[in-house]
Amino acid sequence: MERMLAIKVEERIMEALSGRMNLLINQADREIMVSGAIDKLMRDGEFSEIRAEIEDPDKRLDFIQSFLSYGILTEILCDFNVEDIIINNIKPIYVHHSQKGFICTNKQFANQKELDHFVQKLLFFSGRTCLTKIVNIELPNLEGRVNIALAPFGPQITITKAKVTPLSIIDMIRSGTMTHELAAQLWMYLEGMAIRPANLMLAGGPGVGKTTMLNALLAFIPDSDRIVVIEDTLELNTFLEESCSRLESDD
């Protein structure tokens, strides 16, 4: 399917499913939702120019999987060594690689239309419908977070991938980041010997490890305690905390 036509079709699907996506819908259910939207739009008389192509089961599945992917960023996002992705309008895409540092890739969006469409897909995947001058959103299944800033020279996008396995307190001790004594002290503060837990405040500049530390400290909270997490952008790994309530602050 010609790329500009594919973008047009994808935009109509996003309009039809607006507000129905959310972060935790799995890939199989997303494919079912998109296929259902295609059927409805076809019954309404749309997509006549590609009806034969979309009615073919194999071609339809290929189209749906392509629509639900990140296009030229898919390969980069699947690289475990890539920690951050930086997109400055349609210039070449940069990444921060865990072994190679800050490097330029050979990938970039072909034109402004493709980049704008990619931004709309990011919003759609996260369940959002409104794009403001500065917006923070999450990738599906909390695989990372995205900052989008609309600038005079086009969208400036930073994607920070979530760690597959966040560092634990044990990992931090083994790496020398934390001493046994400090780990024990923090445990005492949070657990409070089941009598009197303390309040803690973690502060610091970007990238100093606040989120890493909070993820590690979650292990010290007793299973019997209720956990309520309120974040500007969802970052903490709380999937193992069954009693946890995840909330997001209102921008």
Side-chain angles (χ1 to χ4, degrees), residues 21-214:
M21 284 283 178
N22 67 56
L23 292 172
L24 298 181
I25 297 177
N26 62 41
Q27 180 71 9
D29 288 340
R30 287 171 181 265
E31 291 178 4
I32 291 171
M33 290 175 65
V34 173
S35 183
I38 290 173
D39 288 336
K40 183 179 185 307
L41 290 168
M42 289 177 63
R43 288 195 298 270
D44 293 342
E46 300 196 40
F47 304 159
S48 57
E49 66 271 42
I50 58 169
R51 177 175 291 272
E53 189 167 353
I54 279 191
E55 284 182 334
D56 179 275
D58 292 333
K59 291 182 178 179
R60 174 185 286 215
L61 181 59
D62 288 343
F63 170 79
I64 292 174
Q65 291 178 340
S66 174
F67 167 61
L68 291 173
S69 76
Y70 295 97
I72 63 172
L73 285 190
T74 299
E75 182 181 347
I76 300 176
L77 285 166
C78 290
D79 186 341
F80 292 117
N81 290 311
V82 171
E83 298 175 342
D84 299 283
I85 303 169
I86 297 90
I87 303 169
N88 296 322
N89 203 22
I90 57 174
K91 295 179 181 179
I93 296 170
Y94 279 76
V95 302
H96 186 272
H97 193 279
S98 61
Q99 299 175 6
K100 302 176 183 177
F102 192 59
I103 58 175
C104 180
T105 71
N106 61 354
K107 298 182 183 298
Q108 64 189 101
F109 289 92
N111 50 56
Q112 193 68 49
K113 176 66 175 176
E114 285 206 1
L115 176 56
D116 291 342
H117 181 63
F118 175 72
V119 170
Q120 292 300 321
K121 284 178 73 170
L122 288 176
L123 289 172
F124 173 72
F125 291 156
S126 69
R128 307 288 186 89
T129 58
C130 180
L131 179 64
T132 56
K133 289 196 70 173
I134 298 178
V135 62
N136 293 301
I137 59 178
E138 299 76 30
L139 296 178
N141 297 307
L142 304 184
E143 295 172 346
R145 55 190 170 89
V146 183
N147 174 268
I148 304 171
L150 301 183
F153 297 102
Q156 314 294 302
I157 306 170
T158 303
I159 301 175
T160 301
K161 293 171 56 181
K163 291 186 180 296
V164 177
T165 305
L167 294 177
S168 67
I169 288 290
I170 301 300
D171 293 328
M172 298 175 76
I173 293 173
R174 285 174 176 168
S175 68
T177 305
M178 180 181 297
T179 64
H180 290 85
E181 292 77 12
L182 178 56
Q185 189 173 8
L186 290 171
W187 186 4
M188 289 288 290
Y189 288 160
L190 263 76
E191 203 272 339
M193 298 184 70
I195 299 173
R196 190 176 181 183
N199 293 322
L200 291 179
M201 179 181 292
L202 298 182
V208 299
K210 299 184 299 297
T211 301
T212 300
M213 176 65 79
L214 281 171

Side-chain angles (χ1 to χ4, degrees), residues 2-17:
E2 191 269 325
R3 182 55 188 154
M4 287 299 105
L5 177 57
I7 288 177
K8 179 182 176 182
V9 173
E10 290 181 359
E11 287 176 344
R12 285 295 296 119
I13 293 171
M14 287 192 286
E15 290 175 10
L17 293 175

